C-alpha cells in the first residue's frame, strides 16, 4: 500500500535549524510532485514548499530564503531543510504526494520553535 512517513521534527530554539524527511513507498516516486504543508492550532493547513517531477521548486513567501525543499529519487525521499526558524513556524508538518487524479498525505511531524 501507499505510505508516506515523515521524520525529523522536534523542539528547537528560535534561529535554529531542522531537517525533515519524508520516505515514500507504494508509488513510482519519480513521477510524483512532492510537497510540504503545515498546520498550526486553530489555523488552516497551508502550503510550505513544493518540488515537481522535473525538480522545479516553489515556496510560501513566509519561508522563502529560509527553507529548502529537495528530493532524492533513488531513495524515494523528499526533504525540507529549515533554517532561521522562528516561533511562527511552529506547526504540524505534513508530507504530500500528488499523482494523476489522486493525492497522498503523511501523518505529520511536529515542529515546535520556542525559547
Amino acid at each position: 500500500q501507499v505510505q508516506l512517513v515523515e521524520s525529523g521534527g522536534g523542539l528547537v530554539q528560535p534561529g535554529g535549524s531542522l531537517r525533515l524527511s519524508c520516505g515514500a513507498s507504494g508509488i513510482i516516486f519519480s513521477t510524483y510532485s512532492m510537497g510540504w504543508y503545515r498546520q498550526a492550532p486553530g489555523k488552516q493547513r497551508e502550503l510550505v514548499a513544493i518540488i515537481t517531477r522535473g525538480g522545479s521548486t516553489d515556496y510560501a513567501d513566509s519561508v522563502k530564503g529560509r527553507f529548502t525543499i529537495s528530493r532524492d529519487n533513488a531513495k524515494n525521499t523528499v526533504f525540507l531543510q529549515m533554517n532561521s526558524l522562528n516561533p511562527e513556524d511552529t506547526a504540524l508538518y505534513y508530507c504530500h504526494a500528488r499523482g494523476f487524479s489522486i493525492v497522498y498525505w503523511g501523518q505529520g511531524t511536529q515542529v515546535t520553535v520556542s525559547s
Side-chain angles (χ1 to χ4, degrees), residues 24-75:
S25 60
I27 62 172
I28 308 299
F29 183 81
S30 62
T31 70
Y32 280 72
S33 179
M34 303 296 299
W36 290 93
Y37 289 71
R38 67 185 182 187
Q39 187 167 25
K43 297 184 178 179
Q44 294 184 356
R45 188 174 298 188
E46 64 174 349
L47 176 68
V48 177
I50 56 171
I51 183 165
T52 69
R53 293 169 292 176
S56 298
T57 59
D58 199 10
Y59 301 89
D61 288 342
S62 59
V63 308
K64 196 170 299 182
R66 300 187 297 121
F67 291 11
T68 302
I69 188 171
S70 61
R71 64 192 296 163
D72 186 340
N73 288 345
K75 296 182 177 180

Side-chain angles (χ1 to χ4, degrees), residues 83-104:
N83 299 326
S84 302
L85 287 162
N86 59 63
E88 289 70 48
D89 297 315
T90 295
L92 190 63
Y93 283 71
Y94 295 92
C95 182
H96 174 268
R98 178 173 61 84
F100 180 72
S101 79
I102 54 169
V103 298
Y104 299 105

